[in-house]
Amino acid sequence: MKNLLKTVVATAFVTTLFACSTTSTTSNTKQDRFSKVDANSDGRVTVEEFSSSIKKPKNGPKRFGLLDVDKNGYLNRTELEAERKNKKNKKKKKEN
């Protein structure tokens, strides 16, 4: 009985270690967010894709225009990540 218990505990430990080692990192999380917003997976986020991914889609075009720094009509990964950084910075300022 003790051997069975030891085996079960060891298996659970190894399984937990494996699961922790394969979880997504911060960069993968950002990549997943970009992939979710980029509905057609073309590597670009259009105003329609962006608008449909936010809580208030009617505000999409205005926010999109502010984020599209190079004014090429779509957001790349860097521009979309910049939005997240700006949100975090604004939240920190409000807390202080």
Side-chain angles (χ1 to χ4, degrees):
M1 186 69 169
K2 287 183 180 180
N3 287 336
L4 178 62
L5 183 59
K6 287 179 182 178
T7 303
V8 169
V9 170
T11 303
F13 180 72
V14 170
T15 303
T16 303
L17 285 176
F18 179 77
C20 290
S21 69
T22 60
T23 56
S24 63
T25 62
T26 304
S27 62
N28 286 341
T29 302
K30 290 177 184 176
Q31 183 176 6
D32 291 342
R33 177 172 164 13
F34 184 84
S35 297
K36 288 177 184 176
V37 176
D38 183 17
N40 64 358
S41 301
D42 65 352
R44 301 175 175 186
V45 174
T46 63
V47 66
E48 293 83 11
E49 290 171 325
F50 178 77
S51 296
S52 66
S53 73
I54 61 175
K55 290 180 183 178
K56 295 181 182 179
K58 68 179 183 177
N59 296 339
K62 182 178 179 181
R63 286 179 56 194
F64 183 90
L66 296 172
L67 296 173
D68 186 15
V69 178
D70 56 7
K71 304 298 181 203
N72 61 359
Y74 64 88
L75 301 179
N76 58 33
R77 188 175 308 278
T78 305
E79 290 169 326
L80 193 61
E81 288 175 9
E83 178 205 21
R84 288 299 236 201
K85 289 178 185 177
N86 288 337
K87 281 184 178 182
K88 287 180 183 180
N89 289 339
K90 286 180 183 179
K91 187 175 180 179
K92 285 181 183 178
K93 285 180 182 179
K94 284 183 182 180
E95 291 174 355
N96 293 332

